[in-house]
Amino acid sequence: TAVAEQTVRPAVREFVSGTKQLLIGGQWVNAASGRTFPTFDPATGEKITEVAHGAAEDVDRAVAAARRAFEDGPWSRTTPSERQRLIWRIGDLLLERAEQFAQLEALDNGKSVAVAQGVDVAWAADIFHYYAGWATKIEGRTITPSVPWIPGSQWHAYTLREPVGVCAQIIPWNFPLVMAAFKLAPALAAGNTVILKPAEQTPLTALLLGELFCEAGFPDGVVNILTGFGDAGAALAAHDDVDKVAFTGSTEVGKKIVDAAKGNLKKVSLELGGKSPNIVFADADLEAAIPGSANAWLFNHGQCCVAGTRLFVEESIFEEFTQGVAEFASQVKIGPGLDPTTQLGPLVSQEQLDRVTSYLRQGIADGARALTGGGRHGDSGYYVEPTVLVDVRDDMSVVREEIFGPVVAAIPFSAEEGLAAAANNTEYGLAAGIWTRDISRAHRVAKQIKAGSVWVNCYNGFDTAIPFGGYKQSGWGRELGAEAIDLYTQTKAVNVAL
Ligand code: ADP
């Protein structure tokens, strides 16, 4: 099989040697239907293993388990410091098994094992550690009301920050472990119970994480992991006994989630697509801006919702700069994720390969010119050449739509005036980059950009403490930082007449 030929740890080989099950109510179980589905190695297209195909009946079981754990305990009776200790333990266990998680992620997703370990696993552990700390720091306020229309009245009021309840969390395939951490850590810190549905393309690290929750001693039913396809996600989003759904994925599916959630008006948070502008002024430090602007769309093979895929470059340096970015891109080392020297791995699936290459064909048919790249790389595995497109127009699909591959469209601009309008000319508003040595201009432009994250003289700058989320059709709500606690708590005001 794909795995036997690779140099993976025995623990990884063993993990994928049998059919993977669902985690429901603290038990590993088959799907009610008994069905399974395969997950593939994107570097070869070969099957890694079979995974339980969860569907509506399994969703019912998982929601019932999460409801029991929430209402009857023990999760509802667990103290903040116990939650803190348990969540912290997940961060520790992740670091102890960093290599195993990284290899499994590289195998299932295609990303470089070095990145998987240095970024994905390290960051996921940090997210659990960070939110472990929050568990003991979620506090309400005391308020002294004046109630002026009842003279002489004396009141005392305070707020309680309570968990929302049973949370469904649906995640994508681009950062499988990190996305699981984004969702689980704040929800658990705030005292919720969870049903996590990993993406069908990359279910494995979430399942391995499920083992850590059992090992760490989380009570049964607090974390349920349900592998399956969009129909399982849809059943979760529509379920009447789910109090909140958190989703990361495409804007198209995000709209379906909103629709499905209407029945019981469950709370919804969404982190969706992007077509982010990365703006380079002529006065920028080009030695930093060239690799920075290349990595803005090359990182994770372009499979980042924040990818800086519209590269705005000031006219006077346009030629030189785009050549520089193209040269950088043409030199990245393409290869399988399990090779630690790989910089650009395969896309996640045959479907994504077809999608990205069809955008490239369309862009070139529309008149765009590739300074480098332009199509598939090799003829096995799902590899795409890093591609820099110039001679683009605003109406081209390569400029308007999220491609989710290593492709950038470079657009010249002549002045700061009008630039923000061009950068904001998208239905999305997730992120933006600004490269300049003029500090006033950096802040001026940052203020005008309609996006949830703006990076100045850097790109992809993330930290667990910094809130993240989208303007416009890039989403609802903010994850990470203190803001994620807001997503997973609701406020109760208690008013006392003295
Ligand atoms: P991408 O475009 O990144 O593949 P999708 O938005 O299609 O992302 O999928 C992200 C997650 O949403 C996956 O876990 C997928 O199974 C799930 N999903 C797909 N369709 C639906 C749906 N209609 N309702 C709920 N979840 C869905």
PDB file of all heavy atoms in Angstrom, residues 143-157 495-497:
ATOM      1  N   ILE A 143     -22.912  45.023  37.750  1.00  0.00           N
ATOM      2  CA  ILE A 143     -23.429  46.272  37.204  1.00  0.00           C
ATOM      3  C   ILE A 143     -24.295  46.919  38.296  1.00  0.00           C
ATOM      4  O   ILE A 143     -25.041  46.218  38.990  1.00  0.00           O
ATOM      5  CB  ILE A 143     -24.258  45.985  35.938  1.00  0.00           C
ATOM      6  CG1 ILE A 143     -23.362  45.307  34.886  1.00  0.00           C
ATOM      7  CG2 ILE A 143     -24.901  47.245  35.381  1.00  0.00           C
ATOM      8  CD1 ILE A 143     -24.113  44.524  33.855  1.00  0.00           C
ATOM      9  N   THR A 144     -24.201  48.212  38.432  1.00  0.00           N
ATOM     10  CA  THR A 144     -25.062  48.902  39.395  1.00  0.00           C
ATOM     11  C   THR A 144     -26.100  49.692  38.614  1.00  0.00           C
ATOM     12  O   THR A 144     -25.822  50.792  38.149  1.00  0.00           O
ATOM     13  CB  THR A 144     -24.236  49.849  40.285  1.00  0.00           C
ATOM     14  OG1 THR A 144     -23.126  49.103  40.794  1.00  0.00           O
ATOM     15  CG2 THR A 144     -25.055  50.398  41.414  1.00  0.00           C
ATOM     16  N   PRO A 145     -27.303  49.128  38.462  1.00  0.00           N
ATOM     17  CA  PRO A 145     -28.295  49.822  37.643  1.00  0.00           C
ATOM     18  C   PRO A 145     -28.913  50.995  38.416  1.00  0.00           C
ATOM     19  O   PRO A 145     -28.982  50.973  39.645  1.00  0.00           O
ATOM     20  CB  PRO A 145     -29.355  48.752  37.381  1.00  0.00           C
ATOM     21  CG  PRO A 145     -28.923  47.527  38.100  1.00  0.00           C
ATOM     22  CD  PRO A 145     -27.806  47.879  39.016  1.00  0.00           C
ATOM     23  N   SER A 146     -29.368  51.996  37.644  1.00  0.00           N
ATOM     24  CA  SER A 146     -29.967  53.143  38.329  1.00  0.00           C
ATOM     25  C   SER A 146     -31.492  53.162  38.221  1.00  0.00           C
ATOM     26  O   SER A 146     -32.147  53.776  39.042  1.00  0.00           O
ATOM     27  CB  SER A 146     -29.377  54.441  37.778  1.00  0.00           C
ATOM     28  OG  SER A 146     -29.460  54.430  36.369  1.00  0.00           O
ATOM     29  N   VAL A 147     -32.047  52.490  37.229  1.00  0.00           N
ATOM     30  CA  VAL A 147     -33.500  52.424  37.004  1.00  0.00           C
ATOM     31  C   VAL A 147     -34.178  53.765  37.351  1.00  0.00           C
ATOM     32  O   VAL A 147     -34.965  53.843  38.309  1.00  0.00           O
ATOM     33  CB  VAL A 147     -34.159  51.267  37.800  1.00  0.00           C
ATOM     34  CG1 VAL A 147     -35.506  50.888  37.159  1.00  0.00           C
ATOM     35  CG2 VAL A 147     -33.263  50.052  37.841  1.00  0.00           C
ATOM     36  N   PRO A 148     -33.906  54.831  36.584  1.00  0.00           N
ATOM     37  CA  PRO A 148     -34.369  56.167  36.965  1.00  0.00           C
ATOM     38  C   PRO A 148     -35.897  56.301  37.010  1.00  0.00           C
ATOM     39  O   PRO A 148     -36.412  57.159  37.694  1.00  0.00           O
ATOM     40  CB  PRO A 148     -33.781  57.080  35.895  1.00  0.00           C
ATOM     41  CG  PRO A 148     -33.362  56.186  34.800  1.00  0.00           C
ATOM     42  CD  PRO A 148     -33.111  54.841  35.377  1.00  0.00           C
ATOM     43  N   TRP A 149     -36.624  55.450  36.309  1.00  0.00           N
ATOM     44  CA  TRP A 149     -38.089  55.564  36.292  1.00  0.00           C
ATOM     45  C   TRP A 149     -38.744  54.906  37.515  1.00  0.00           C
ATOM     46  O   TRP A 149     -39.940  54.938  37.675  1.00  0.00           O
ATOM     47  CB  TRP A 149     -38.687  55.011  34.983  1.00  0.00           C
ATOM     48  CG  TRP A 149     -38.194  53.634  34.651  1.00  0.00           C
ATOM     49  CD1 TRP A 149     -38.765  52.474  35.019  1.00  0.00           C
ATOM     50  CD2 TRP A 149     -37.040  53.314  33.918  1.00  0.00           C
ATOM     51  NE1 TRP A 149     -38.020  51.432  34.563  1.00  0.00           N
ATOM     52  CE2 TRP A 149     -36.950  51.929  33.869  1.00  0.00           C
ATOM     53  CE3 TRP A 149     -36.024  54.079  33.286  1.00  0.00           C
ATOM     54  CZ2 TRP A 149     -35.914  51.259  33.226  1.00  0.00           C
ATOM     55  CZ3 TRP A 149     -35.015  53.410  32.631  1.00  0.00           C
ATOM     56  CH2 TRP A 149     -34.955  52.016  32.615  1.00  0.00           C
ATOM     57  N   ILE A 150     -37.951  54.282  38.401  1.00  0.00           N
ATOM     58  CA  ILE A 150     -38.508  53.797  39.673  1.00  0.00           C
ATOM     59  C   ILE A 150     -37.728  54.480  40.796  1.00  0.00           C
ATOM     60  O   ILE A 150     -36.721  53.958  41.292  1.00  0.00           O
ATOM     61  CB  ILE A 150     -38.414  52.258  39.796  1.00  0.00           C
ATOM     62  CG1 ILE A 150     -38.969  51.581  38.548  1.00  0.00           C
ATOM     63  CG2 ILE A 150     -39.135  51.783  41.070  1.00  0.00           C
ATOM     64  CD1 ILE A 150     -38.869  50.068  38.575  1.00  0.00           C
ATOM     65  N   PRO A 151     -38.173  55.677  41.205  1.00  0.00           N
ATOM     66  CA  PRO A 151     -37.382  56.448  42.176  1.00  0.00           C
ATOM     67  C   PRO A 151     -37.201  55.664  43.479  1.00  0.00           C
ATOM     68  O   PRO A 151     -38.116  54.981  43.935  1.00  0.00           O
ATOM     69  CB  PRO A 151     -38.245  57.696  42.431  1.00  0.00           C
ATOM     70  CG  PRO A 151     -39.209  57.758  41.276  1.00  0.00           C
ATOM     71  CD  PRO A 151     -39.410  56.356  40.802  1.00  0.00           C
ATOM     72  N   GLY A 152     -35.979  55.746  43.997  1.00  0.00           N
ATOM     73  CA  GLY A 152     -35.707  55.098  45.277  1.00  0.00           C
ATOM     74  C   GLY A 152     -35.403  53.615  45.193  1.00  0.00           C
ATOM     75  O   GLY A 152     -35.111  52.982  46.213  1.00  0.00           O
ATOM     76  N   SER A 153     -35.483  53.051  44.012  1.00  0.00           N
ATOM     77  CA  SER A 153     -35.248  51.609  43.897  1.00  0.00           C
ATOM     78  C   SER A 153     -33.766  51.290  44.077  1.00  0.00           C
ATOM     79  O   SER A 153     -32.907  52.107  43.731  1.00  0.00           O
ATOM     80  CB  SER A 153     -35.725  51.093  42.545  1.00  0.00           C
ATOM     81  OG  SER A 153     -34.902  51.628  41.539  1.00  0.00           O
ATOM     82  N   GLN A 154     -33.479  50.144  44.603  1.00  0.00           N
ATOM     83  CA  GLN A 154     -32.088  49.705  44.727  1.00  0.00           C
ATOM     84  C   GLN A 154     -31.940  48.335  44.090  1.00  0.00           C
ATOM     85  O   GLN A 154     -32.689  47.407  44.435  1.00  0.00           O
ATOM     86  CB  GLN A 154     -31.702  49.632  46.196  1.00  0.00           C
ATOM     87  CG  GLN A 154     -31.442  50.994  46.789  1.00  0.00           C
ATOM     88  CD  GLN A 154     -30.678  50.886  48.086  1.00  0.00           C
ATOM     89  OE1 GLN A 154     -30.179  49.841  48.450  1.00  0.00           O
ATOM     90  NE2 GLN A 154     -30.592  52.001  48.781  1.00  0.00           N
ATOM     91  N   TRP A 155     -31.007  48.251  43.192  1.00  0.00           N
ATOM     92  CA  TRP A 155     -30.820  47.024  42.431  1.00  0.00           C
ATOM     93  C   TRP A 155     -29.366  46.612  42.447  1.00  0.00           C
ATOM     94  O   TRP A 155     -28.481  47.435  42.589  1.00  0.00           O
ATOM     95  CB  TRP A 155     -31.247  47.218  40.965  1.00  0.00           C
ATOM     96  CG  TRP A 155     -32.676  47.602  40.777  1.00  0.00           C
ATOM     97  CD1 TRP A 155     -33.226  48.824  41.010  1.00  0.00           C
ATOM     98  CD2 TRP A 155     -33.729  46.755  40.314  1.00  0.00           C
ATOM     99  NE1 TRP A 155     -34.559  48.802  40.713  1.00  0.00           N
ATOM    100  CE2 TRP A 155     -34.896  47.540  40.283  1.00  0.00           C
ATOM    101  CE3 TRP A 155     -33.799  45.412  39.938  1.00  0.00           C
ATOM    102  CZ2 TRP A 155     -36.117  47.026  39.874  1.00  0.00           C
ATOM    103  CZ3 TRP A 155     -35.019  44.911  39.512  1.00  0.00           C
ATOM    104  CH2 TRP A 155     -36.172  45.704  39.502  1.00  0.00           C
ATOM    105  N   HIS A 156     -29.209  45.361  42.232  1.00  0.00           N
ATOM    106  CA  HIS A 156     -27.859  44.820  42.018  1.00  0.00           C
ATOM    107  C   HIS A 156     -27.960  43.872  40.821  1.00  0.00           C
ATOM    108  O   HIS A 156     -28.893  43.078  40.758  1.00  0.00           O
ATOM    109  CB  HIS A 156     -27.418  44.054  43.268  1.00  0.00           C
ATOM    110  CG  HIS A 156     -26.226  43.171  43.052  1.00  0.00           C
ATOM    111  ND1 HIS A 156     -25.013  43.681  42.699  1.00  0.00           N
ATOM    112  CD2 HIS A 156     -26.079  41.822  43.146  1.00  0.00           C
ATOM    113  CE1 HIS A 156     -24.155  42.677  42.573  1.00  0.00           C
ATOM    114  NE2 HIS A 156     -24.776  41.539  42.841  1.00  0.00           N
ATOM    115  N   ALA A 157     -27.066  43.978  39.882  1.00  0.00           N
ATOM    116  CA  ALA A 157     -27.127  43.092  38.721  1.00  0.00           C
ATOM    117  C   ALA A 157     -25.746  42.525  38.414  1.00  0.00           C
ATOM    118  O   ALA A 157     -24.721  43.165  38.683  1.00  0.00           O
ATOM    119  CB  ALA A 157     -27.666  43.846  37.508  1.00  0.00           C
ATOM    120  N   ASN A 495     -30.841  40.105  37.675  1.00  0.00           N
ATOM    121  CA  ASN A 495     -31.200  41.398  38.265  1.00  0.00           C
ATOM    122  C   ASN A 495     -31.826  41.157  39.632  1.00  0.00           C
ATOM    123  O   ASN A 495     -32.783  40.397  39.744  1.00  0.00           O
ATOM    124  CB  ASN A 495     -32.222  42.118  37.393  1.00  0.00           C
ATOM    125  CG  ASN A 495     -31.748  42.209  35.959  1.00  0.00           C
ATOM    126  OD1 ASN A 495     -30.878  42.996  35.647  1.00  0.00           O
ATOM    127  ND2 ASN A 495     -32.288  41.364  35.095  1.00  0.00           N
ATOM    128  N   VAL A 496     -31.298  41.811  40.632  1.00  0.00           N
ATOM    129  CA  VAL A 496     -31.754  41.564  42.005  1.00  0.00           C
ATOM    130  C   VAL A 496     -32.275  42.868  42.601  1.00  0.00           C
ATOM    131  O   VAL A 496     -31.550  43.874  42.619  1.00  0.00           O
ATOM    132  CB  VAL A 496     -30.583  41.050  42.875  1.00  0.00           C
ATOM    133  CG1 VAL A 496     -31.073  40.675  44.266  1.00  0.00           C
ATOM    134  CG2 VAL A 496     -29.897  39.874  42.198  1.00  0.00           C
ATOM    135  N   ALA A 497     -33.507  42.855  43.064  1.00  0.00           N
ATOM    136  CA  ALA A 497     -34.021  44.010  43.796  1.00  0.00           C
ATOM    137  C   ALA A 497     -33.546  43.883  45.238  1.00  0.00           C
ATOM    138  O   ALA A 497     -33.716  42.833  45.857  1.00  0.00           O
ATOM    139  CB  ALA A 497     -35.545  44.028  43.744  1.00  0.00           C
TER     140      ALA A 497
END
